[in-house]
C-alpha cells in the first residue's frame, strides 16, 4: 500500500507534471515561471526603494522646514536624488530666474513656480513607477496564458484518449493534471503581481500627495517672500 501511495505522489509532483507535459505546455510553464521571477524581483526592489525614499523624505522635509537659510540648505542638500530635493531645486531655480530682473511679474512668477514644481513631482513619480506596468501586465495576462496551456493540454489528453480508445480515469487524469498545473502556475504569477501592483501604486499615491503638500507649502513660502521682495526693492 505504501509504495502505491508514494508512486501516486511522485506522479503528481510538479517536476513530474512538467516533464510529462507537451512541449507547448512546457513553454507556457517556463514563460510563466520566468514572469513570476521577474515579478518578484520588481516587487522586492520597488518595495525596498519606496520604503527608503519615504524614510529619507520624512527626514529631509523636517530638516528643510527647520532650516533658517533655504539657500544654504539647498547648497548642502539640493543635489540629492530624492524626489523632494528635486522639487525644491526646481522651485528655487525658477525663483532665481523669475526674480533676477528689475521688474518682477508676481502673478507670472507664482504661476511658473507652481508649474515647475508640479512638473517635477510628475517627473519623479514617473521615474519611480517605472516597470510597475510589468506587474499590471503579468497580473492581467498570466491567468489567460496559463488557461491557454490548460486548454492545450486538455485537448492533447482527449486526443490521446481517442487514440487509445480508453476513457478510464488512469488514462485521463495525468494529462488533465498537467494541463491544470499550467493554470496553477499562471495564478501563482498573477496573484502576487496584482497585490504588489495595488500596494506599490497606493504607496506612490501617498508619496505624490506628500510631495504635493510640500510643493504647496513651499509655493506659499516663496509667494510671501515675493511680496517682501517686491515691496522692498521694486
Amino acid at each position: 500500500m505504501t509504495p502505491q501511495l508514494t508512486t501516486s505522489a511522485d506522479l503528481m509532483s510538479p517536476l513530474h507534471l512538467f516533464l510529462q507535459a507537451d512541449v507547448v505546455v512546457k513553454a507556457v510553464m517556463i514563460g510563466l515561471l520566468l514572469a513570476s521571477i521577474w515579478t518578484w524581483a520588481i516587487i522586492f526592489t520597488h518595495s525596498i526603494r519606496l520604503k527608503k525614499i519615504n524614510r529619507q523624505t520624512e527626514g529631509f522635509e523636517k530638516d528643510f522646514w527647520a532650516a533658517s537659510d533655504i539657500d544654504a540648505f539647498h547648497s548642502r542638500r539640493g543635489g540629492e536624488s530624492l524626489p523632494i530635493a528635486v522639487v525644491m531645486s526646481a522651485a528655487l531655480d525658477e525663483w532665481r530666474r523669475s526674480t533676477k530682473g528689475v521688474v518682477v511679474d508676481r502673478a507670472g512668477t507664482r504661476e511658473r513656480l507652481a508649474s515647475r514644481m508640479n512638473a517635477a513631482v510628475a517627473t519623479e513619480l514617473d521615474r519611480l513607477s517605472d516597470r510597475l506596468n510589468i506587474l499590471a501586465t503579468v497580473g492581467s495576462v498570466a491567468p489567460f496564458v496559463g488557461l491557454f496551456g490548460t486548454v492545450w493540454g486538455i485537448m492533447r489528453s482527449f486526443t490521446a484518449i481517442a487514440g487509445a480508445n480508453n476513457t478510464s480515469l488512469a488514462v485521463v487524469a495525468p494529462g488533465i493534471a498537467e494541463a491544470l498545473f499550467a493554470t496553477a502556475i499562471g495564478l501563482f504569477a498573477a496573484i502576487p503581481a496584482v497585490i504588489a501592483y495595488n500596494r506599490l501604486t497606493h504607496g506612490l499615491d501617498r508619496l505624490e500627495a506628500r510631495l504635493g503638500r510640500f510643493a504647496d507649502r513651499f509655493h506659499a513660502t516663496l509667494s510671501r517672500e515675493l511680496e517682501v521682495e517686491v515691496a522692498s526693492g521694486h
Side-chain angles (χ1 to χ4, degrees):
M1 184 66 67
T2 303
Q4 185 177 359
L5 290 175
T6 303
T7 302
S8 299
D10 291 340
L11 290 175
M12 297 302 293
S13 67
L15 179 60
H16 180 82
L17 292 175
F18 171 78
L19 294 176
Q20 296 301 315
D22 179 73
V23 62
V24 174
V25 181
K26 282 182 180 178
V28 169
M29 292 179 181
I30 292 174
L32 290 172
L33 286 174
L34 292 177
S36 180
I37 293 172
W38 195 7
T39 294
W40 280 107
I42 294 173
I43 291 171
F44 281 122
T45 55
H46 277 67
S47 297
I48 293 172
R49 182 171 65 169
L50 187 59
K51 183 177 180 180
K52 180 180 178 181
I53 287 174
N54 281 323
R55 184 178 65 252
Q56 293 177 342
T57 297
E58 183 178 357
F60 184 98
E61 189 173 6
K62 185 182 298 183
D63 294 340
F64 176 82
W65 294 118
S68 57
D69 189 339
I70 294 179
D71 288 328
F73 183 85
H74 176 258
S75 299
R76 186 171 68 254
R77 302 192 60 178
E80 296 182 11
S81 60
L82 280 174
I84 193 171
V86 174
V87 174
M88 177 194 68
S89 297
L92 289 178
D93 178 67
E94 184 57 44
W95 165 264
R96 289 165 182 167
R97 289 172 180 267
S98 298
T99 59
K100 67 180 180 180
V102 177
V103 179
V104 178
D105 180 6
R106 287 181 291 177
T109 299
R110 291 190 180 98
E111 184 176 348
R112 287 189 294 271
L113 283 170
S115 178
R116 281 291 300 274
M117 285 192 285
N118 289 336
V121 171
T123 300
E124 290 302 299
L125 266 293
D126 286 342
R127 181 178 64 86
L128 292 176
S129 62
D130 183 40
R131 296 187 180 180
L132 287 187
N133 62 317
I134 295 175
L135 297 182
T137 301
V138 171
S140 59
V141 173
F144 295 101
V145 175
L147 183 60
F148 168 75
T150 297
V151 172
W152 184 274
I154 291 176
M155 289 171 58
R156 176 173 171 265
S157 296
F158 282 132
T159 302
I161 292 170
N165 291 323
N166 190 343
T167 59
S168 67
L169 187 60
V171 175
V172 177
I176 294 179
E178 297 161 10
L180 293 176
F181 187 51
T183 296
I185 297 178
L187 294 175
F188 177 77
I191 293 174
V194 172
I195 295 174
Y197 177 79
N198 291 333
R199 288 184 61 85
L200 290 173
T201 301
H202 176 67
L204 288 176
D205 289 342
R206 292 182 62 186
L207 179 62
E208 182 179 11
R210 183 169 198 165
L211 293 177
R213 289 191 297 269
F214 171 81
D216 290 341
R217 188 176 175 186
F218 193 27
H219 183 272
T221 300
L222 293 177
S223 294
R224 287 191 295 270
E225 184 66 23
L226 182 63
E227 296 291 341
V228 174
E229 291 280 343
V230 172
S232 61
H234 302 287

